[in-house]
Amino acid sequence: DTAVSQTPKYLVTQMGNDKSIKCEQNLGHDTMYWYKQDSKKFLKIMFSYNNKELIINETVPNRFSPKSPDKAHLNLHINSLELGDSAVYFCASSQGQRGVYEQYFGPGTRLTVT
Amino acid sequence: GNSVTQMEGPVTLSEEAFLTINCTYTATGYPSLFWYVQYPGEGLQLLLKATKADDKGSNKGFEATYRKETTSFHLEKGSVQVSDSAVYFCALKLSGNTPLVFGKGTRLSVIA
């Protein structure tokens, strides 16, 4: 009964490929997020969706496209992968966005681009 | 802009030692403050939070007090255990549709 799950856990691919990471939450939350954690452990928000609507879109290359088919899912598609995309990507969810609701994080997807 | 500064790691302590991890913030409004912990190979978990000045968050023996006058939210624990070895992140959030802003994380290693 994992609260926030991500697939795959590990992803190794070559430059130029297109790949997707999936995220699902079973907490009934209405807000979901994607974060990127670089090799130095620095965490930065990429996107936030509230009720399937894009709320936050930080300075992220447009090769990254989030898609939220419903409130429980937020997928991340990455086109034309580059070496610098190698990182751990975390999905998170919360009940609400405007307040100080706790964010629940998934286990992460380690992406390695060779 | 809004930012969080944490002490550089790694921090290595012996079991039962006292822990302090410093965190200061810069914010345009009145943020809520958080400490998250990331155990090896896992995602982040909320450790504690404080939503207004002078609030003290506490959990699992960890404490942090929201100090508006010094814009700080230092994490403390009186007696660390090997199982506390992890990366600790200080974060802030302003009200409205704003994201969590994280510090760079501090790795703690506790040795027996």
Side-chain angles (χ1 to χ4, degrees):
Chain A
D1 57 343
T2 305
V4 182
S5 59
Q6 296 178 227
T7 53
K9 191 170 173 66
Y10 300 97
L11 183 54
V12 181
T13 188
Q14 292 184 328
M15 283 175 56
N17 285 347
D18 303 339
K19 290 293 178 186
S20 291
I21 307 172
K22 296 187 176 182
C23 177
E24 177 180 3
Q25 54 94 4
N26 62 7
L27 297 166
H29 289 166
D30 61 5
T31 304
M32 296 184 73
Y33 312 79
W34 277 110
Y35 289 87
K36 179 180 180 181
Q37 187 177 46
D38 64 22
S39 58
K40 296 184 179 178
K41 296 287 190 182
F42 186 52
L43 263 168
K44 192 166 163 49
I45 184 75
M46 298 174 70
F47 302 103
S48 169
Y49 269 74
N50 177 259
N51 284 316
K52 302 196 302 173
E53 181 183 346
L54 182 64
I55 299 296
I56 294 172
N57 184 353
E58 292 292 303
T59 308
V60 176
N62 56 16
R63 298 182 293 105
F64 290 78
S65 52
K67 293 227 175 7
S68 182
D70 55 58
K71 286 198 311 182
H73 295 84
L74 179 62
N75 303 323
L76 183 65
H77 188 76
I78 316 170
N79 289 328
S80 303
L81 278 155
E82 300 178 358
L83 291 177
D85 298 332
S86 295
V88 181
Y89 292 85
F90 286 100
C91 178
S93 72
S94 67
Q95 183 55 42
Q97 163 71 9
R98 300 185 66 85
V100 291
Y101 304 100
E102 176 180 352
Q103 292 188 19
Y104 291 79
F105 283 77
T109 296
R110 182 176 293 278
L111 171 65
T112 303
V113 183
T114 61
Chain B
N2 304 309
S3 65
V4 175
T5 302
Q6 289 181 236
M7 62 187 290
E8 294 276 336
V11 174
T12 302
L13 294 173
S14 297
E15 212 166 17
E16 299 184 5
F18 185 85
L19 169 72
T20 301
I21 301 178
N22 289 339
C23 170
T24 57
Y25 67 89
T26 302
T28 52
Y30 299 100
S32 294
L33 302 173
F34 305 83
W35 277 100
Y36 278 81
V37 58
Q38 185 179 24
Y39 297 104
E42 298 183 12
L44 278 74
Q45 303 171 27
L46 179 66
L47 182 59
L48 53 84
K49 69 180 181 185
T51 58
K52 61 183 188 297
D54 299 325
D55 268 2
K56 177 188 281 189
S58 61
N59 186 24
K60 300 180 181 180
F62 291 88
E63 292 183 342
T65 301
Y66 189 142
R67 301 281 188 208
K68 186 179 170 187
E69 62 276 14
T70 54
T71 61
S72 64
F73 193 54
H74 304 321
L75 182 68
E76 296 182 335
K77 186 175 185 184
S79 175
V80 293
Q81 305 300 313
V82 172
S83 57
D84 294 326
S85 298
V87 181
Y88 292 81
F89 292 90
C90 186
L92 68 82
K93 186 184 184 306
L94 293 166
S95 60
N97 288 327
T98 59
L100 276 170
V101 176
F102 285 92
K104 293 190 174 182
T106 302
R107 182 180 297 278
L108 170 66
S109 294
V110 181
I111 52 178

